[in-house]
Amino acid sequence: MKHISKILCLLLLGLTTVSYGQKKSKKNAAPPVQQTQAAKPEKKSPFKKYSDIVTSDAVTDEGLFKVHSVGEKFYYEIPFDLLNTDMLLVSRISKIAAGLGGGYMNAGSKTNEQVIRWSRVNNDIHLRSISFTNVANDSLPIQLSVSANNYDPILAAFSIEAFNQDSTAVLIEISDLFLSDNPALSGLSENMRREYKVRNLDRKRSFISRMASFPENIEVRHDMTYNATDPPSNSRTGTISMEMSQSMYLLPEVPMQPRLYDQRVGWFTIRQIDYGSEALKSDVKTYIRRWRLEPKDPEAYARGELVEPVKPIVYYLDPATPAKWRPYFRQGIEDWQQAFEAAGFKNAIIAKDAPTKEEDPDWSPEDARYSTVRYVASTTRNAVGPSVSDPRSGEIIESDIIWYHNHLRSYRNRYMLETGAANPSARTLDTPEEEIGEMMRRVISHEVGHALGLPHNMKASYSYPTDSLRSATFTQKWGLAATIMDYTRYNYVAQPGDEGVRWVRMLGPYDEYAINWGYRYIPNANSAEDEKAILNSWIREKAGDPVYLFGGGNSYDPSSQTESVGDDPVKASRYGLANLKIVAPNLAKWTAKPGENYADLAELYGELIGVWTRFAGHVVTNVGGVYEELKTTDQPGVIYTPISKASQMDAMKFLVEDVFTTPDWLLQKEILDNIEPSGAVEGIGSMQSRLLASLLRKDRLDRMIENEAMNGSEAYTLTAMLSDLRKGLWSEVSSSRNIDAFRRNLQRAHVERLAELMKQDERNRSDISAAVRAELKSIQSLAKTGSSRYAPCIIQYHLRDIDALIESMLSAE
């Protein structure tokens, strides 16, 4: 049996071998794989081949990253050596829906800026928004806690699609970042979304229109279309569309050495909380925002020679700027060269025309490498000077100054109203081109000042004696204020006959001082702290000179007011009022054009009332006012000093006689009969009521109470002020004189404001309640006895109504 079995096995083996041999011959197959152990399948890679994505159809642009567009998909090719590198992402609206933002947004408006980093986590690339608000040196142990307690948010995550050919970069599809409604990149704020009732982003109507890579930045343009119930324009469409610009800019590997801020010299700032400081607290470090200017020739600079900077500040003029205004825009930019020369630099700031499409087809005003002056076709009457800065150091990276077309109208109107009495060339709607150009030049200079890091300095106008502004020699040399950064637009002090005076503002000595303080290169200082002593010494050198003081403007300091001129607000407003009394009766003639309607006259008349309100407001600030002079502990004197009693009383006299008395000079019949059927009583009444409410602000009265408590008889007291006001506003009653409609409105406003003060004071009752109650009773007594002196008429009815109104107020308390 064993023998038979062996024979059968051999036969079967032979059959099998023959069969396999026939199969191989028939199929021409390879030798058989051993079947003794099953082969393991290869693990599939999660990544695609680079060539399968970046095909021959791809459009590639090389720069900071390679960017690829393949059909409707867009890719970033991010080099590994740029992972975890600081970049600045700036979001702007490059094309805007009409009316979006209420007129104060435009093509070019910045909506966000943030430092970002790309990082790899396993098979993903993360995009984080990085904050430098809380910091500590990397070498310190506390940095571990700072990092743990300030975890940076992830804006987006992307799967790695592939690696490039030499595995030095990763490929990610970037489309979703720009086609999803990411708030960090959006042009719509939360307030806008609520106002316009935005429901959602419509992905089907959103797309990427451009993606370009440059050596230091990547520029993306993408359209975003939102469904909205109440859009700002084209309401029937239910749609808001805008084109966004995203500029991703590589920040310097080594941040600029920051410069510590000093409140005595005005600068825009960045703020960091340094947990690694030796101070026994988390130490707030505030640094100024400024461009990085370093001398090309440090040795020549050290010898005191003027030296060009390694990288000057360059502004390009928008191609949309009308040709006739371009010379003035260039002058406005390059006027700052003189200030930079005070800091040791020549040709530090330069104006250029933007290149043509033929010269540079890729040039774009939204490109983060270029700083521009944009000319915006808009009815908005304004100009702004924003900038983008590195939050690590305060270094300004770029800026875009914006001039709104209709701002021309503002300056033409104010020129007529504020200087027309003494300046014949201002008495027309067709202001000479050269003079409009000079105004535009100075506006651009002002906005460039902001872009250089300088905020408003409202104390600069107070540094010049008021009467000096009537002098041609003084104003032509020194201008109207110590800096262009004040809001001293025009010389409204100069009177008819003051020949040769300067009418329009210009740069002044404070501008050179501030630029030197912020931009002078200090070669031997290796840290911000090393610079502090010399920066302080520069301030101490100018101590006591009002030309070099800084004040950002507030509600209590009459030496730091917006739109004010000269060091005596009461005297300046008297001069201004005298000029307006000449302008008012001539306004109809100066604005008349044959065949035209009265729209310009109506506009100018409304602005005339506004100008007078500002003049009066400057005087109001003197009452209960306090001078503020910023100091450090090593300087003599105090920071806060109450206004003298005499000055406050003079201000009050002016208000009673020239503000709260009916301004008959404003009631020009030729104007009013041509611009409106009624409204003069309401318009004048509104102006007077606003000024009265400002005079009777609780914080002002609180300061007067404190001044009396600290200085006794040297103070202008609250009760004295209220008494002077009452005697002025109700002077007609005791002598039975006519009380006109304007005065009756003001008297009602007086009673209502006093009652409002009692309500504001009821939670923490102070002397205000006692003084106001006494005033209301005195007015009630005047009204009660005075009404009997008048025959039945509106005046008697008015006084009886005042009596009843006060009675109800006091009874209800």
Side-chain angles (χ1 to χ4, degrees), residues 726-741:
R726 170 174 37 85
K727 291 173 182 176
L729 295 186
W730 300 84
S731 59
E732 299 91 342
V733 178
S734 58
S735 57
S736 304
R737 299 198 313 273
N738 178 51
I739 307 174
D740 63 34

Side-chain angles (χ1 to χ4, degrees), residues 237-404:
T237 66
T239 294
I240 300 173
S241 289
M242 66 180 69
E243 183 185 73
M244 292 298 299
S245 159
Q246 309 291 345
S247 298
M248 188 176 66
Y249 191 93
L250 181 65
L251 288 174
E253 184 176 352
V254 178
M256 179 186 72
Q257 180 171 296
R259 180 158 291 181
L260 285 165
Y261 168 69
D262 191 305
Q263 63 176 347
R264 296 169 293 175
V265 188
W267 282 87
F268 291 127
T269 61
I270 63 165
R271 181 174 176 271
Q272 296 178 355
I273 300 176
D274 185 359
Y275 287 91
S277 169
E278 292 297 321
L280 300 178
K281 60 178 182 177
S282 53
D283 197 6
V284 176
K285 298 287 183 66
T286 305
Y287 301 114
I288 67 172
R289 295 175 58 189
R290 58 184 182 142
W291 298 79
R292 184 186 292 213
L293 289 188
E294 297 167 341
K296 278 184 179 179
D297 186 342
E299 293 181 359
Y301 188 90
R303 294 193 299 267
E305 299 175 22
L306 289 180
V307 174
E308 290 187 342
V310 174
K311 184 179 180 181
I313 303 163
V314 179
Y315 277 97
Y316 291 89
L317 300 187
D318 190 336
T321 307
K324 65 180 178 179
W325 303 132
R326 291 185 184 185
Y328 300 106
F329 278 32
R330 289 192 194 95
Q331 283 181 303
I333 295 166
E334 295 186 348
D335 279 340
W336 284 96
Q337 287 188 355
Q338 182 176 337
F340 278 107
E341 287 177 3
F345 292 102
K346 66 179 179 181
N347 301 322
I349 184 166
I350 300 167
K352 292 183 178 182
D353 286 326
T356 64
K357 287 291 184 184
E358 292 73 24
E359 292 169 333
D360 186 350
D362 291 325
W363 192 92
S364 168
E366 280 84 41
D367 189 332
R369 292 179 299 167
Y370 305 121
S371 295
T372 62
V373 178
R374 304 288 299 273
Y375 196 100
V376 177
S378 168
T379 57
T380 301
R381 290 160 65 167
N382 198 16
V384 294
S387 62
V388 172
S389 60
D390 184 344
R392 305 172 304 173
S393 64
E395 178 184 356
I396 296 174
I397 303 299
E398 61 91 37
S399 81
D400 292 285
I401 293 163
I402 298 168
W403 170 278
Y404 297 86

Side-chain angles (χ1 to χ4, degrees), residues 56-255:
S56 58
D57 295 328
V59 178
T60 299
D61 196 16
E62 295 194 28
L64 180 65
F65 297 171
K66 284 184 180 179
V67 298
H68 310 279
S69 61
V70 185
E72 294 184 354
K73 293 184 177 182
F74 291 83
Y75 297 87
Y76 278 178
E77 187 174 320
I78 306 176
F80 286 134
D81 60 7
L82 287 178
L83 293 178
N84 302 305
T85 301
D86 291 338
M87 301 181 184
L88 193 66
L89 180 60
V90 182
S91 301
R92 291 186 180 88
I93 302 175
S94 51
K95 293 181 182 179
I96 192 169
L100 188 75
Y104 284 91
M105 295 184 72
N106 57 270
S109 287
K110 181 177 65 177
T111 60
N112 196 16
E113 63 178 89
Q114 57 194 315
V115 175
I116 59 168
R117 287 181 194 152
W118 301 90
S119 60
R120 181 178 179 180
V121 179
N122 299 322
N123 292 337
D124 290 336
I125 294 294
H126 287 180
L127 176 63
R128 287 185 182 271
S129 179
I130 309 299
S131 172
F132 290 91
T133 300
N134 300 300
V135 299
N137 192 291
D138 289 343
S139 64
L140 298 175
I142 198 172
Q143 167 60 22
L144 297 172
S145 179
V146 171
S147 179
N149 288 282
N150 297 274
Y151 196 53
D152 297 310
I154 298 173
L155 296 180
F158 309 89
S159 297
I160 295 175
E161 301 286 336
F163 297 92
N164 67 346
Q165 304 291 8
D166 58 1
S167 297
T168 60
V170 294
L171 197 69
I172 61 172
E173 186 186 346
I174 199 71
S175 307
D176 280 351
L177 179 63
F178 305 112
L179 296 179
S180 59
D181 194 10
N182 191 324
L185 279 68
S186 173
L188 291 181
S189 66
E190 286 302 316
N191 287 338
M192 288 183 194
R193 290 168 189 266
R194 286 192 293 269
E195 180 181 356
Y196 305 133
K197 298 181 176 62
V198 174
R199 297 190 300 278
N200 62 293
L201 177 73
D202 189 337
R203 177 81 178 237
K204 291 183 178 180
R205 291 186 287 164
S206 301
F207 56 91
I208 297 170
S209 56
R210 178 177 180 239
M211 192 174 288
S213 189
F214 301 95
E216 295 180 343
N217 59 303
I218 292 177
E219 301 295 320
V220 177
R221 304 290 177 274
H222 58 113
D223 279 51
M224 304 186 79
T225 295
Y226 295 88
N227 293 306
T229 302
D230 192 13
S233 55
N234 301 302
S235 58
R236 289 187 179 182
T237 66
T239 294
I240 300 173
S241 289
M242 66 180 69
E243 183 185 73
M244 292 298 299
S245 159
Q246 309 291 345
S247 298
M248 188 176 66
Y249 191 93
L250 181 65
L251 288 174
E253 184 176 352
V254 178

Side-chain angles (χ1 to χ4, degrees), residues 398-503:
E398 61 91 37
S399 81
D400 292 285
I401 293 163
I402 298 168
W403 170 278
Y404 297 86
H405 177 74
N406 254 27
H407 209 28
L408 289 166
R409 194 179 191 95
S410 298
Y411 278 82
R412 178 203 69 180
N413 291 0
R414 292 278 295 275
Y415 193 52
M416 177 189 289
L417 297 173
E418 295 186 22
T419 76
N423 178 13
S425 65
R427 300 167 187 168
T428 174
L429 293 175
D430 298 318
T431 310
E433 183 177 306
E434 183 177 349
E435 294 179 41
I436 283 288
E438 172 68 6
M439 299 172 210
M440 296 176 76
R441 169 187 177 182
R442 302 306 175 175
V443 176
I444 293 299
S445 288
H446 179 93
E447 302 307 336
V448 169
H450 285 320
L452 295 175
L454 302 180
H456 292 133
N457 180 5
M458 300 308 181
K459 197 175 279 286
S461 56
Y462 202 80
S463 61
Y464 290 172
T466 299
D467 280 322
S468 293
L469 299 175
R470 299 185 61 186
S471 163
T473 54
F474 182 91
T475 56
Q476 293 298 345
K477 180 178 181 179
W478 299 105
L480 310 184
T483 174
I484 193 76
M485 303 315 296
D486 202 324
Y487 265 176
T488 306
R489 291 185 173 93
Y490 295 114
N491 186 352
Y492 62 76
V493 163
Q495 299 294 290
D498 294 342
E499 299 292 337
V501 297
R502 182 172 182 82
W503 300 111

Side-chain angles (χ1 to χ4, degrees), residues 5 31 35 111 121 183 242 281 346 373 435 513 542 580 674 702 707:
S5 296
Q35 300 295 319
T111 60
V121 179
M242 66 180 69
K281 60 178 182 177
K346 66 179 179 181
V373 178
E435 294 179 41
Y513 164 71
K542 305 296 185 183
L580 291 183
N674 284 308
D702 286 335
N707 188 17

